[in-house]
């Protein structure tokens, strides 16, 4: 048997990577665009409380700094452009109506960054919440189209802003579905989710599958209204 054959045989027998072997992300700076809104503010609070360095972004730096001072835990505030420039990972938590315009204006600042889109395109009428279908397929795919030089992932869609912001809640009992094109980037986001007590980040496919993940929030809103709850998701048997 040749050395080439031996190498091929060893490679074939190499054990599969443990999906829970995730990178250390504790030293990364996390920016939250839309960090003065309920979802963004809640995520900023939870990540900072877990020891992550967090910068809140807003169109107005003063508003961002005011929200940061309210949260404490070393959170800083800045305008969106500075937040993007100073962060290693940027979570997009802006309202759907301003999603495209905000990202387009920050294309340069977000170049080379790991972007985590958690925006849910929803409409509301007298029957309740319903999912919208963006032209690109999903909010995450719109982000990828607008940010060709960024590494776009999708995550943090199904979290209760009420629970995130409640200082009396020690753990958030939920899983975070993470989607993306590059496994290493997805694992960074999974690890970031796992920094928050009670959460796990679960690999959930490529960005082309983001629409149904974003859309599921409409169902959770119906659940929460019916049962007066703050429902999350758990993926079983993993």
């Amino acid at each position: 048997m040749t050395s080439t054959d031996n190498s091929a045989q060893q490679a074939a027998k190499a054990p599969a990577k443990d999906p829970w072997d995730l990178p250390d992300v504790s030293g990364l700076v996390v920016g939250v665009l839309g960090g003065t809104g309920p979802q963004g503010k809640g995520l900023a609070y939870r990540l900072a409380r877990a020891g992550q360095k967090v910068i809140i972004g807003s169109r107005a730096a003063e508003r961002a700094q005011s929200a940061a001072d309210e949260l404490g835990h070393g959170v800083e505030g800045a305008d969106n452009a500075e937040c993007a420039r100073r962060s290693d990972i940027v979570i997009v938590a802006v309202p759907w109506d301003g999603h495209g315009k905000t990202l387009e204006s920050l294309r340069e600042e977000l170049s080379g960054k790991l972007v985590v889109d958690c925006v849910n395109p929803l409409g509301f009428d007298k029957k309740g919440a319903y999912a919208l279908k963006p032209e690109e397929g999903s909010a995450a795919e719109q982000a990828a189209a607008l940010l060709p030089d960024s590494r776009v992932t999708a995550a943090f869609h199904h979290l209760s802003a009420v629970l995130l912001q409640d200082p009396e809640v020690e753990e958030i009992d939920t899983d975070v579905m993470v989607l993306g094109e590059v496994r290493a980037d997805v694992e960074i986001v999974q690890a970031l989710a796992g920094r928050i007590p009670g959460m796990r980040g679960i690999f959930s496919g490529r960005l082309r599958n983001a629409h149904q993940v974003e859309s599921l929030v409409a169902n959770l809103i119906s659940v929460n209204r019916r049962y007066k709850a703050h429902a999350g998701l758990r993926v079983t048997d993993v």
Side-chain angles (χ1 to χ4, degrees), residues 13-38:
K13 291 181 178 179
K17 182 180 181 295
D18 181 351
W20 297 112
D21 180 15
L22 301 173
D24 178 9
V25 298
S26 59
L28 299 180
V29 178
V30 179
V32 185
L33 302 180
T36 58

Side-chain angles (χ1 to χ4, degrees), residues 33-72:
L33 302 180
T36 58
Q39 192 81 352
K41 196 172 181 181
L43 277 169
Y45 171 67
R46 286 292 158 178
L47 289 169
R49 180 168 157 170
Q52 209 76 35
K53 175 60 185 173
V54 177
I55 303 172
I56 280 179
S58 178
R59 284 178 295 179
E62 298 81 7
R63 187 178 177 203
Q65 190 57 56
S66 176
D69 292 341
E70 183 182 334
L71 293 179

Side-chain angles (χ1 to χ4, degrees), residues 12 35 38 69 102 126 132 139 156-157 166 197 200 206 208:
D69 292 341
T102 298
K126 62 183 180 181
L132 302 176
F156 300 116
H157 301 92
D166 187 344
R200 298 185 306 172
R206 294 179 178 269
R208 69 180 183 180

Side-chain angles (χ1 to χ4, degrees), residues 99-118:
H99 181 263
K101 186 176 293 186
T102 298
L103 295 184
E104 197 169 18
S105 71
L106 296 171
R107 183 176 293 159
E108 182 178 344
E109 290 83 359
L110 291 170
S111 178
K113 305 288 185 177
L114 176 53
V115 175
V116 187
D117 201 298
C118 69

Side-chain angles (χ1 to χ4, degrees), residues 168-225:
E168 299 300 315
V169 175
E170 296 292 332
E171 296 188 359
I172 308 292
D173 180 23
T174 192
D175 286 330
V176 172
M177 302 179 79
V178 186
L179 304 95
E181 299 302 313
V182 179
R183 186 64 58 87
D185 292 338
V186 170
E187 289 180 348
I188 289 172
V189 182
Q190 287 180 262
L192 186 65
R195 296 272 289 160
I196 300 174
M199 282 191 196
R200 298 185 306 172
I202 304 289
F203 170 71
S204 302
R206 294 179 178 269
L207 288 185
R208 69 180 183 180
N209 294 319
H211 171 64
Q212 56 263 39
V213 173
E214 297 169 0
S215 300
L216 190 57
V217 173
N219 301 89
L220 288 177
I221 289 172
S222 296
V223 170
N224 289 336
R225 286 181 174 173

Side-chain angles (χ1 to χ4, degrees), residues 77-186:
D79 63 47
N80 282 331
E82 182 182 352
C83 172
R85 279 194 296 268
R86 291 178 56 196
S87 302
D88 301 304
I89 305 175
V90 179
I91 298 174
V92 181
V94 300
W96 167 240
D97 288 348
H99 181 263
K101 186 176 293 186
T102 298
L103 295 184
E104 197 169 18
S105 71
L106 296 171
R107 183 176 293 159
E108 182 178 344
E109 290 83 359
L110 291 170
S111 178
K113 305 288 185 177
L114 176 53
V115 175
V116 187
D117 201 298
C118 69
V119 175
N120 303 301
L122 297 175
F124 295 87
D125 60 19
K126 62 183 180 181
K127 294 182 179 180
Y130 60 94
L132 302 176
K133 185 69 176 286
E135 182 180 343
E136 298 83 355
S138 64
E141 288 169 295
Q142 182 182 88
L146 292 172
L147 304 173
D149 298 320
S150 302
R151 297 139 54 205
V152 176
T153 60
F156 300 116
H157 301 92
H158 306 135
L159 306 180
S160 163
V162 173
L163 295 182
L164 287 173
Q165 294 186 76
D166 187 344
E168 299 300 315
V169 175
E170 296 292 332
E171 296 188 359
I172 308 292
D173 180 23
T174 192
D175 286 330
V176 172
M177 302 179 79
V178 186
L179 304 95
E181 299 302 313
V182 179
R183 186 64 58 87
D185 292 338
V186 170

